[in-house]
Amino acid sequence: MLTSVAEPIVRPRPAYRSFRAEVARAERLSPHFVRVTFGGAELVDFGTAGLDQRVKLVFPHAEHGFADFPDGDDWYRAWRELPAERRNVFRTYTVRAVRPELAEVDVDFALHGDLGPASAWAARAAAGDELIIIGPDERSPERTIGIDFRPGAVDTVLLAGDETAAPAICAILAQLPADAAGAALIEVPSDADVLPVAAPAGVEVRWLARSGADAVHGERLVPAVRDWVARATTPTDGADASDAPEDAPASVAALDAAEAADADDAPLWDVPEGRSLDGACYAWLAGEASVITALRRFLVRDAGLDRRQVAFMGYWRRGRAELE
Ligand SMILES: Cc1cc2nc3c(=O)[nH]c(=O)nc-3n(C[C@H](O)[C@H](O)[C@H](O)COP(=O)(O)OP(=O)(O)OC[C@H]3O[C@@H](n4cnc5c(N)ncnc54)[C@H](O)[C@@H]3O)c2cc1C
């Protein structure tokens, strides 16, 4: 008679999991950027794929710390089932750098005041503060699922975003091949927020400082994208970018008008797999949602880029906290 021995059930390692971490140090890089370096033994297994890899940062509950935060793969469902007053707040951020040999992870926070819990936490972060990172596990075959920069083989890359996208753009620039060509256009709150960044010689990096406290997001980024497109791209459908229609978004006021009608319904995120096309440009856009969706519309509708060559990500939305 044959007897069978029960095989152990081997479950695939989850691509993302929670890492207990604490602040090793916090460095003010500029008036509106603080780099928080997280440490902790668990971070030796933190994913190193880089580029624009996103993570969730879970902040301590004012009374209960992390006592109620669910462990395990199913943490999100379990978190949703908690009473609202027991839930930890979490927000989405980008891995700026990983040093597995030191079990360290850097996250660069754009500070925007105390209205947002993440910004308020980062402004006061100090060595020893605890936090949970939901991030990639280096040992998982799917460790790159949180990466949206997927250009395929193209001739030119356009990276454009505001200060919340600056960490992703800087991380992407550091990993581009030496012969890459294109531009990185990064809008920041002030001249003092320009950060040091390494980029291939063929990639023009422009930091675009807004004009002051009353300035609006997009006021420098939108004209800079239009200017770069007029100079650099070859439209794929016969449109001439330097001859864009009069209603193309040239200013934030025009963007606002164009977006106001459908801002609530407009899609905020689309990350196509870039197609490998000779002569093509791949555009990666991230930042305040209305600015980014309007830029994408400009690139696709007016500048003639193939929509499958444009990744756009609404990283945050004016007047709204991040959805949870
Ligand atoms: C994939 C991804 C990656 C991201 N990476 C980073 C990153 O590396 N660094 C980073 O700083 N941000 C990053 N962001 C943006 C960040 O998640 C949002 O700015 C988030 O809303 C901040 O949370 P909060 O608790 O401070 O504010 P919330 O509680 O979410 O919002 C409170 C209020 O502040 C406003 N607000 C939010 N962010 C800003 C801002 N930057 N400037 C002005 N007003 C704002 C909101 O509209 C709202 O009115 C990323 C977002 C995504 C989706």
Side-chain angles (χ1 to χ4, degrees):
M1 188 178 119
L2 291 174
T3 55
S4 64
V5 178
E7 291 283 337
I9 298 169
V10 182
R11 298 176 60 217
R13 189 180 292 284
Y16 268 62
R17 70 170 178 94
S18 55
F19 293 83
R20 299 257 165 189
E22 65 176 40
V23 175
R25 55 194 174 277
E27 180 189 0
R28 189 62 86 105
L29 302 176
S30 74
H32 296 94
F33 283 112
V34 62
R35 173 164 299 160
V36 178
T37 298
F38 296 101
E42 296 187 11
L43 296 178
V44 291
D45 294 324
F46 197 89
T48 60
L51 297 169
D52 57 343
Q53 183 119 49
R54 76 181 101 95
V55 293
K56 300 280 183 206
L57 300 182
V58 183
F59 298 96
H61 189 283
E63 293 167 46
H64 309 289
F66 297 102
D68 295 330
F69 190 75
D71 275 331
D73 306 354
D74 207 13
W75 67 270
Y76 184 67
R77 188 195 51 76
W79 175 88
R80 298 266 312 199
E81 286 173 1
L82 288 169
E85 67 278 9
R86 305 282 301 200
R87 290 181 191 161
N88 292 76
V89 167
F90 62 83
R91 294 285 185 265
T92 311
Y93 279 82
T94 306
V95 177
R96 177 64 182 86
V98 190
R99 291 175 294 281
E101 69 286 4
L102 299 173
E104 286 186 350
V105 172
D106 292 343
V107 175
D108 288 357
F109 292 78
L111 301 178
H112 62 94
D114 282 352
L115 191 57
S119 177
W121 180 91
R124 295 164 183 79
D129 290 354
E130 291 180 329
L131 189 134
I132 290 176
I133 309 176
I134 311 284
D137 189 317
E138 181 73 356
R139 300 164 300 173
S140 166
E142 295 180 323
R143 68 200 178 101
T144 62
I145 59 166
I147 293 177
D148 294 317
F149 178 77
R150 293 184 244 138
V154 288
D155 285 3
T156 315
V157 172
L158 169 65
L159 304 165
D162 65 21
E163 60 269 39
T164 64
I169 293 176
C170 291
I172 291 168
L173 286 173
Q175 284 180 259
L176 285 179
D179 61 351
L185 308 174
I186 311 164
E187 187 182 277
V188 287
S190 75
D191 281 328
D193 291 306
V194 175
L195 302 177
V197 61
V203 178
E204 170 191 359
V205 179
R206 289 185 65 199
W207 293 86
L208 307 155
R210 286 191 293 273
S211 53
D214 298 332
V216 230
H217 281 81
E219 67 171 29
R220 299 287 317 278
L221 190 62
V222 173
V225 168
R226 285 178 55 87
D227 173 60
W228 184 81
V229 165
R231 288 188 283 123
T233 64
T234 308
T236 51
D237 68 354
D240 182 349
S242 63
D243 191 25
E246 300 234 321
D247 67 343
S251 66
V252 169
L255 287 181
D256 281 348
E259 293 303 307
D262 61 354
D264 281 351
D265 301 325
L268 301 177
W269 199 282
D270 187 27
V271 285
E273 190 75 49
R275 295 191 308 154
S276 298
L277 290 175
D278 283 346
C281 170
Y282 172 82
W284 179 104
L285 315 168
E288 201 285 319
S290 66
V291 175
I292 295 308
T293 50
L295 278 180
R296 189 256 202 162
R297 186 175 302 170
F298 163 69
L299 289 177
V300 171
R301 191 184 61 185
D302 303 319
L305 265 68
D306 186 320
R307 67 177 59 244
R308 288 165 296 179
Q309 296 292 123
V310 181
F312 78 103
M313 291 139 285
Y315 270 12
W316 62 283
R317 215 164 164 165
R318 193 170 42 206
R320 297 211 192 159
E322 184 178 327
L323 293 179
E324 290 160 345

